[in-house]
Amino acid sequence: MEGKEEDVRLGANKFSERQPIGTAAQSQYESKDYQEPPPAPLFEPGELGSWSFYRAGIAEFIATFLFLYVTVLTVMGVVKSPTKCGTVGIQGIAWAFGGMIFALVYCTAGISGGHINPAVTFGLFLGRKLSLTRAVFYMVMQCLGAICGAGVVKGFMGDSQYELLGGGANSVNAGYTKGDGLGAEIMGTFILVYTVFSATDAKRSARDSHVPILAPLPIGFAVFLVHLATIPITGTGINPARSLGAAIIYNKAHAWHDHWIFWVGPFIGAALAALYHVVVIRAIPFKSK
């Protein structure tokens, strides 16, 4: 009987190299090198007197301006060509959006966090990563930057040609319903904001030093892949500022018919991603105080 107990004991130790997974793996780092950062306050009036606050807003404005300039100009080039083989095509448009997000997040992450998207800002606000004061300021600056970026593209193309080519404005394409468009925008933004939460998770940064360096890469790839999937449905919004900037400068009736989809869809998708990350992935509401 003792021999059998010894065999059982040895058998249990044969797999000592196994690593815990899930929350068990997280807990082993809890007391070593990481403490949960406190949630951002809802209102932080003191920010209004700080230059870093306004510098961050300017960074969001410039980043969104450059984002619209490159991406809408790319869309214009594809639409203008009589044959898609003579252009970068849908894949090129997707690369323009994803590549610009990669570059701009890399450039602005240390200043403003590199949101460049009101839906991302909204999701991070719900996750208590920034205050309402900063969130509203970011959204305003992002929308202004998008309008200016689309305006520069119109200046390059000329009024008649810009309007003829559709101005890069988002709308639900023929063959799809408004429900299809809304669902595509919700799913696409969920993927993006979920990736943003995962790539910028402070716990992962504390555990793996390479995570902050690589963060812009998966975010850019998420934008690229979502564009590949949803360009045929809505032209891909997943960024209310991008949709608003193009719609205002183009300013034709069909650009406004479905415009609500490109605000409601991204905000719902961002909220679901924030909920999923905070409640399911990090299980923050269930952690002992």
Side-chain angles (χ1 to χ4, degrees), residues 36 118-130 186-198 200-201 265-286:
E36 194 73 47
V120 170
T121 299
F122 179 67
L124 293 174
F125 165 70
L126 293 181
R128 303 298 301 276
K129 304 297 183 182
L130 73 165
I186 291 173
M187 290 297 298
T189 313
F190 178 90
I191 293 169
L192 169 60
V193 178
Y194 174 37
T195 304
V196 169
F197 269 107
S198 298
T200 60
D201 190 344
F267 273 56
I268 291 175
L272 292 174
L275 182 69
Y276 178 65
H277 178 79
V278 172
V279 176
V280 179
I281 301 300
R282 294 298 311 281
I284 290 176
F286 307 108

Side-chain angles (χ1 to χ4, degrees), residues 30-270:
E30 197 75 51
S31 60
K32 292 183 179 179
D33 57 2
Y34 177 81
Q35 289 184 348
E36 194 73 47
L42 185 60
F43 296 102
E44 198 166 6
E47 288 183 318
L48 300 177
S50 169
W51 166 240
S52 64
F53 176 78
Y54 296 101
R55 182 184 66 169
I58 294 170
E60 288 293 309
F61 172 88
I62 294 297
T64 316
F65 167 81
L66 295 175
F67 178 63
L68 265 288
Y69 166 71
V70 170
T71 56
V72 173
L73 203 54
T74 303
V75 171
M76 294 288 95
V78 172
V79 176
K80 181 180 179 181
S81 176
T83 62
K84 296 298 181 283
C85 294
T87 70
V88 295
I90 289 179
Q91 293 88 348
I93 293 174
W95 273 121
F97 278 89
M100 279 304 290
I101 288 296
F102 168 66
L104 294 170
V105 170
Y106 175 81
C107 292
T108 59
I111 302 172
S112 65
H115 297 189
I116 322 169
N117 184 336
V120 170
T121 299
F122 179 67
L124 293 174
F125 165 70
L126 293 181
R128 303 298 301 276
K129 304 297 183 182
L130 73 165
S131 66
L132 179 62
T133 313
R134 186 173 291 262
V136 171
F137 183 49
Y138 277 14
M139 290 182 192
V140 171
M141 296 301 281
Q142 289 157 359
C143 290
L144 291 175
I147 294 168
C148 292
V152 170
V153 174
K154 184 176 182 178
F156 282 178
M157 304 296 294
D159 289 354
S160 59
Q161 191 171 9
Y162 184 83
E163 293 176 3
L164 180 66
L165 300 176
N170 291 118
S171 62
V172 178
N173 293 324
Y176 296 95
T177 66
K178 293 184 187 298
D180 295 334
L182 181 63
E185 289 297 305
I186 291 173
M187 290 297 298
T189 313
F190 178 90
I191 293 169
L192 169 60
V193 178
Y194 174 37
T195 304
V196 169
F197 269 107
S198 298
T200 60
D201 190 344
K203 171 164 278 189
R204 295 186 64 205
S205 299
R207 191 168 66 238
D208 304 315
S209 60
H210 64 276
V211 168
I213 300 172
L214 295 179
L217 185 59
I219 296 171
F221 260 107
V223 172
F224 166 68
L225 295 171
V226 169
H227 274 75
L228 286 181
T230 58
I231 282 177
I233 304 174
T234 62
T236 309
I238 68 171
N239 184 333
R242 173 261 186 274
S243 300
L244 179 67
I248 285 178
I249 299 301
Y250 181 58
N251 198 29
K252 296 297 179 183
H254 84 270
W256 295 110
H257 287 164
D258 303 326
H259 188 69
W260 64 272
I261 290 172
F262 301 99
W263 283 87
V264 174
F267 273 56
I268 291 175

